[in-house]
Amino acid sequence: MGAVKEPLRALEWVGGADGHLRLLDQTRLPGCVEAIECRDVDSLWDAIRMLRVRGAPAIGVAASYGLVLGLARAVHLEPDAFLERMRELSSRLRACRPTGVNLFACLDRLEAAARQQSGSARRKHAALLDAARALEAENAAACEAMARYGAERILDGWGVLTHCNTGPLATAGAGTALGVLVHAHRQGKRIRVYACETRPLLQGARITTLELRNAGLDVVLLCDSAAAQVMAEGRVQAAVVGADRIAANGDVANKIGTLGLAVNAAARGIPFYVVAPIATIDPALPSGSAIPIEERDPGEVTELCGGRIAPADVPVYNPAFDVTPHGHVTAIVTEAGVLEPPYGAAIRRALQSRTAN
Amino acid sequence: MGAVKEPLRALEWVGGADGHLRLLDQTRLPGCVEAIECRDVDSLWDAIRMLRVRGAPAIGVAASYGLVLGLARAVHLEPDAFLERMRELSSRLRACRPTGVNLFACLDRLEAAARQQSGSARRKHAALLDAARALEAENAAACEAMARYGAERILDGWGVLTHCNTGPLATAGAGTALGVLVHAHRQGKRIRVYACETRPLLQGARITTLELRNAGLDVVLLCDSAAAQVMAEGRVQAAVVGADRIAANGDVANKIGTLGLAVNAAARGIPFYVVAPIATIDPALPSGSAIPIEERDPGEVTELCGGRIAPADVPVYNPAFDVTPHGHVTAIVTEAGVLEPPYGAAIRRALQSRTAN
């Protein structure tokens, strides 16, 4: 397994109020580890849209810094004009990816911070940067807490299935589902992680394997289609995934493929854990059926490594997410503790305790 | 959808007893339609192993012609020496791919034909060619019968999910599962086929879409991981797949990914049909747990279109097949009719009726 390495970081704000955002270009992993410097909103919007930065928590933090970036030249405006410009820019950033809710929650927090900050546009802009930094730090702290809570559910000797990428590169900290697995490993539990490759964009093959090996874990890569057989063979004792949005009843939108895994896990009595910060919960949505599902470009399915794998002009259905009904979710691990069914009540309590803090 | 085209053919025996086998190189589809001429067993063995020819029925017929090819120079031997050479060659061909059973059934038939043919090695060799041609014709006839029986289960207006490739290129005729869908289409039923891309080797994306478009059907390509969401959205009213081996109790080994689809279909009450000739049934195996599962090269998962999609040396688990328990199978469509649960009895009757014919 080799030496344990420092985890790669998804993003880093460089400098002060007139600084810029450095992003690792995750579309080029694992072959190429290269950062891009985002100095304006256009480049950041493109980076989020093209999944150069991805993972609901990381997107939320990146978009927050995007608001700071986009308003750097607006500090000479009157305060009201600054706020008006902020609202326009925030709307634009919200439209970038419709399924994840952290993006909206983060931008809400930033907008509130600027409104509440009295005085000049420059002071409001400084408040935005402070709020973005606070969100980044909060996400890192939330990852630590989720890792601790979640690792209690993982036992020595287990095989654990995971999907997509939910490690440091999907967050501003140690990750969500992968954070749990790395923490369990550091507790001395011998676990083997089965990582689904996660078509179409292969975040599991490209990024999860990289992060887990860097952290010293035993990882086995498989095609998404092999997960059911891996369960049938008794190789895994739990499945652990992240989330992009969780409805008030506990239904979970996550990377396409999650639902199929959850149904198979439920059919075999394999515990299915979702690990996500409280900011992933959208109490305004009564159930998962109201979550908008982003549909992405057919080329993601028909082109691979520059080659074409399907006849020209074949129609493609490429939903980026699916919705797992709460009945298939054993528990939701948050930084406020582990939520268990019935989720409606558990989620209300978690949100209230958070408001109270 | 364009004009309906003649289906591509997987294989063709060219010439007489000293002829050769022409195979379409299916690994190069859809970009390149190119035949390879197999003039010895080595090239045929390689073609089967590399999936240049694939699909359990097509492999059975190809291997049968392979036996003819490999014994063309043995016609001057004494009859007993010819039969000895035949047994060696047959053993070698059987080892090529372990999961599908048609290969074994076809070679059994050829060996019996040569043994039963009295006289010289040359006459035995001619009997082998006759038997191979008979198997090819029987498979074509079986495909026609399966298509007719199966199409009765497909209703106008349905969406139908399928996996891997089960069309003309997987057989010596109209196909198994795809044959059913094309027949339903020709009956005037408006159906939309959702084709899973079928990682790792993408037979669904590369071949199924091509065959269905050539036949004039409405086809939509999706990642394997999107199938559960497609079911959840109510887009499909049935799933139809082929099989590589069926145990005496109705358990079905088929392309990796089938099990996950079957579990999801069962959870939603979506009928799940398996279409396969009787030769796919292995009455010697009491259940699917006894079916050997071929494990293939990690490079199939980690390399795509010449590019590498995972860190070097990541361990990979790449089973080529999985086993769907009979309880998830709504019916098995064969050339002898549609078998329904309890499968043990239905399979015994089908095998008896076949022996009686």
Side-chain angles (χ1 to χ4, degrees):
Chain A
M1 282 179 266
V4 173
K5 297 177 187 165
E6 263 313 286
L8 295 168
R9 287 183 66 179
L11 51 82
E12 183 183 3
W13 180 259
V14 181
D18 57 351
H20 69 278
L21 189 62
R22 179 174 294 153
L23 296 176
L24 184 69
D25 183 355
Q26 298 188 36
T27 63
R28 305 188 66 187
L29 294 175
C32 178
V33 178
E34 195 170 280
I36 49 176
E37 314 287 339
C38 291
R39 297 177 191 278
D40 55 48
V41 173
D42 285 344
S43 64
L44 179 70
W45 201 92
D46 177 70
I48 296 175
R49 185 71 204 147
M50 301 296 288
L51 278 58
R52 300 190 206 286
V53 60
R54 24 67 49 199
I59 289 172
V61 173
S64 301
Y65 284 119
L67 203 58
V68 178
L69 267 183
L71 291 165
R73 292 184 188 176
V75 294
H76 303 296
L77 296 178
E78 289 300 308
D80 283 352
F82 180 89
L83 293 177
E84 180 57 30
R85 180 76 59 87
M86 177 182 77
R87 278 189 292 273
E88 290 164 16
L89 199 57
S90 178
S91 292
R92 193 168 160 231
L93 285 164
R94 284 163 200 261
C96 192
R97 300 204 62 194
T99 299
V101 74
N102 312 57
L103 173 62
F104 309 142
C106 287
L107 291 171
D108 285 347
R109 276 273 295 276
L110 260 72
E111 289 192 56
R115 279 196 308 272
Q116 284 157 19
Q117 174 65 50
S118 60
S120 68
R122 190 174 295 277
R123 289 184 63 181
K124 289 181 181 298
H125 186 250
L128 286 178
L129 179 58
D130 288 346
R133 285 181 162 145
L135 281 169
E136 184 180 355
E138 279 173 33
N139 183 248
C143 288
E144 292 300 325
M146 287 185 281
R148 280 196 311 274
Y149 285 123
E152 291 170 19
R153 302 299 178 109
I154 306 299
L155 302 191
D156 185 34
W158 274 12
V160 182
L161 189 76
T162 192
H163 192 60
C164 199
N165 172 259
T166 58
L169 287 173
T171 64
T176 55
L178 281 202
V180 166
L181 300 179
V182 171
H183 196 81
H185 168 74
R186 289 184 183 154
Q187 290 175 324
K189 293 170 185 166
R190 289 155 299 180
I191 57 175
R192 168 170 290 174
V193 183
Y194 288 88
C196 293
E197 63 175 5
T198 317
R199 281 281 287 148
L201 294 178
L202 299 162
Q203 292 92 335
R206 296 189 300 105
I207 309 177
T208 295
T209 54
L210 185 72
E211 289 192 327
L212 287 176
R213 279 168 76 94
N214 281 353
L217 275 82
D218 176 8
V219 57
V220 176
L221 173 64
L222 60 151
C223 291
D224 303 326
S225 57
Q229 179 68 12
V230 163
M231 292 188 209
E233 291 173 1
R235 291 172 184 257
V236 297
Q237 285 65 50
V240 187
V241 301
D244 291 81
R245 194 181 313 203
I246 299 174
N249 69 344
D251 290 352
V252 174
N254 191 43
K255 176 61 56 194
I256 191 74
T258 304
L259 170 62
L261 300 178
V263 169
N264 275 276
R268 296 192 177 274
I270 295 172
F272 192 87
Y273 295 110
V274 172
V275 185
I278 294 281
T280 314
I281 299 173
D282 184 354
L285 292 186
S287 79
S289 62
I291 300 176
I293 298 293
E294 177 184 358
E295 201 177 330
R296 292 182 59 87
D297 192 80
E300 290 185 350
V301 177
T302 57
E303 285 156 43
L304 279 168
C305 300
R308 197 175 164 85
I309 55 142
D313 303 326
V314 160
V316 170
Y317 183 51
N318 182 24
F321 302 94
D322 56 28
V323 177
T324 297
H326 59 85
H328 293 331
V329 179
T330 306
I332 301 174
V333 178
T334 75
E335 71 273 34
V338 179
L339 314 186
E340 292 190 316
Y343 289 113
I347 284 173
R348 278 194 302 278
R349 282 195 301 273
L351 291 169
Q352 280 161 5
S353 74
R354 192 163 186 255
T355 314
N357 285 340
Chain B
M1 281 176 266
V4 172
K5 297 177 187 165
E6 264 313 286
L8 295 169
R9 288 182 65 180
L11 51 83
E12 183 183 3
W13 180 259
V14 181
D18 57 351
H20 70 278
L21 189 62
R22 180 174 294 153
L23 296 176
L24 184 70
D25 184 355
Q26 298 187 38
T27 62
R28 305 189 66 188
L29 294 175
C32 178
V33 179
E34 195 171 279
I36 49 175
E37 314 287 340
C38 290
R39 298 176 191 278
D40 55 48
V41 174
D42 285 344
S43 63
L44 179 71
W45 201 93
D46 177 71
I48 294 176
R49 187 69 206 151
M50 300 295 288
L51 278 57
R52 301 189 204 286
V53 59
R54 22 68 48 199
I59 289 171
V61 173
S64 301
Y65 284 119
L67 203 57
V68 178
L69 267 182
L71 291 165
R73 293 186 188 175
V75 293
H76 303 295
L77 296 178
E78 289 301 309
D80 283 351
F82 179 89
L83 292 178
E84 180 57 31
R85 181 76 59 88
M86 177 181 77
R87 279 189 291 273
E88 290 166 14
L89 200 55
S90 177
S91 292
R92 192 168 160 229
L93 285 164
R94 284 163 201 260
C96 193
R97 298 204 62 193
T99 300
V101 75
N102 312 57
L103 172 62
F104 308 142
C106 287
L107 292 171
D108 285 346
R109 276 272 296 276
L110 258 73
E111 289 192 56
R115 279 196 306 271
Q116 284 157 19
Q117 174 65 50
S118 61
S120 68
R122 189 175 296 278
R123 289 184 65 180
K124 289 182 182 296
H125 186 252
L128 286 178
L129 179 58
D130 289 347
R133 285 181 161 145
L135 281 169
E136 185 179 358
E138 278 173 35
N139 183 247
C143 288
E144 292 300 324
M146 287 185 280
R148 283 196 310 276
Y149 285 123
E152 291 171 20
R153 303 298 178 108
I154 306 298
L155 301 190
D156 185 33
W158 273 12
V160 182
L161 189 76
T162 192
H163 192 60
C164 199
N165 172 259
T166 57
L169 287 173
T171 65
T176 56
L178 282 202
V180 166
L181 300 179
V182 171
H183 195 80
H185 168 75
R186 289 185 182 152
Q187 289 174 323
K189 293 170 185 165
R190 289 156 298 180
I191 58 175
R192 168 169 292 175
V193 183
Y194 289 88
C196 292
E197 63 175 5
T198 318
R199 282 280 288 149
L201 295 177
L202 299 162
Q203 292 92 335
R206 296 188 300 105
I207 310 178
T208 295
T209 55
L210 185 72
E211 290 193 326
L212 288 175
R213 281 169 74 95
N214 281 353
L217 276 83
D218 176 7
V219 57
V220 176
L221 173 63
L222 59 152
C223 291
D224 303 325
S225 57
Q229 179 68 9
V230 162
M231 292 188 208
E233 291 173 0
R235 292 172 184 257
V236 298
Q237 285 65 51
V240 187
V241 301
D244 291 82
R245 193 182 312 202
I246 299 175
N249 69 343
D251 291 351
V252 174
N254 191 44
K255 176 59 57 192
I256 190 75
T258 304
L259 170 62
L261 300 178
V263 169
N264 275 274
R268 296 192 176 274
I270 295 172
F272 192 87
Y273 296 111
V274 172
V275 185
I278 294 281
T280 314
I281 299 172
D282 184 353
L285 292 186
S287 79
S289 62
I291 300 176
I293 299 294
E294 178 184 356
E295 200 178 334
R296 291 182 59 86
D297 192 81
E300 291 185 351
V301 177
T302 57
E303 286 157 41
L304 279 168
C305 299
R308 197 173 165 86
I309 56 142
D313 303 326
V314 160
V316 171
Y317 183 51
N318 182 25
F321 303 94
D322 56 28
V323 177
T324 298
H326 58 86
H328 292 331
V329 178
T330 307
I332 301 174
V333 178
T334 75
E335 71 274 34
V338 179
L339 314 186
E340 293 190 315
Y343 288 114
I347 284 173
R348 277 194 301 278
R349 283 194 301 274
L351 291 170
Q352 280 161 6
S353 75
R354 190 162 188 257
T355 314
N357 284 341

